[in-house]
Amino acid sequence: MDRKELFEKKPKIKINDKISWCPTSAAMELIGGKWKSVILTHLISGTKRYNELRKEIPGITERTLSLQLKQLEEDGLVVRKVFTKKPPLRVEYTLTEFGQTLVPILNLIIEWGLMAAETKGEFIFEE
């Protein structure tokens, strides 16, 4: 079935046992919310350790970061790798192949955010 026919028939979409009523809802189920896309944009450049993400995203609490990373991992967007051979414990996060398919969209969101700041707001530089 081609996309046009699929769109006209308006089927429900089931991803990871979650039912969505349209493709946008399905996408937002995976990447929606305040922090998921922020975390994903920080992983575009490559693998990051938990503490690196924590420092790069100052507005997020440790609990929220942990929960969101867990959800992104469960949804197949991020892979978590734990290194335990020698202390201290090291945990790294990387976009999966499926997560990499979001990179063009995330880059567009970044560009749109910059345009919105220029048009509707301002940039604040801390000294």
Side-chain angles (χ1 to χ4, degrees):
M1 187 177 308
D2 68 11
R3 295 213 188 264
K4 183 180 179 193
E5 186 179 355
L6 205 79
F7 193 71
E8 288 170 356
K9 290 191 176 203
K10 299 180 181 173
K12 291 184 231 175
I13 299 168
K14 183 177 180 182
I15 299 175
N16 297 338
D17 292 324
K18 300 169 191 165
I19 302 290
S20 300
W21 303 98
C22 71
T24 303
S25 295
M28 296 314 290
E29 185 65 42
L30 295 173
I31 64 167
K34 182 175 180 178
W35 295 110
K36 285 182 182 177
S37 59
V38 174
I39 293 166
L40 291 168
T41 59
H42 284 272
L43 291 173
I44 289 173
S45 60
T47 301
K48 299 270 172 100
R49 293 175 68 173
Y50 176 86
N51 284 331
E52 287 178 279
L53 289 169
R54 180 79 178 92
K55 288 175 186 171
E56 289 181 12
I57 311 170
I60 194 170
T61 65
E62 287 189 39
R63 182 176 189 279
T64 299
L65 179 58
S66 293
L67 290 171
Q68 295 297 291
L69 284 166
K70 183 178 180 181
Q71 186 66 58
L72 290 166
E73 182 182 12
E74 287 173 6
D75 289 338
L77 296 167
V78 168
V79 66
R80 177 181 189 256
K81 190 169 183 182
V82 181
F83 299 89
T84 58
K85 294 208 183 221
K86 55 183 181 178
L89 178 73
R90 195 172 94 213
V91 180
E92 293 181 344
Y93 295 90
T94 308
L95 291 177
T96 62
E97 188 175 327
F98 181 54
Q100 289 285 340
T101 64
L102 281 166
V103 171
I105 296 161
L106 294 168
N107 283 328
L108 286 171
I109 291 170
I110 291 166
E111 285 303 313
W112 190 86
L114 291 169
M115 184 275 304
E118 291 169 339
T119 306
K120 297 282 187 183
E122 63 182 303
F123 295 101
I124 301 169
F125 298 99
E126 298 192 11
E127 296 176 29

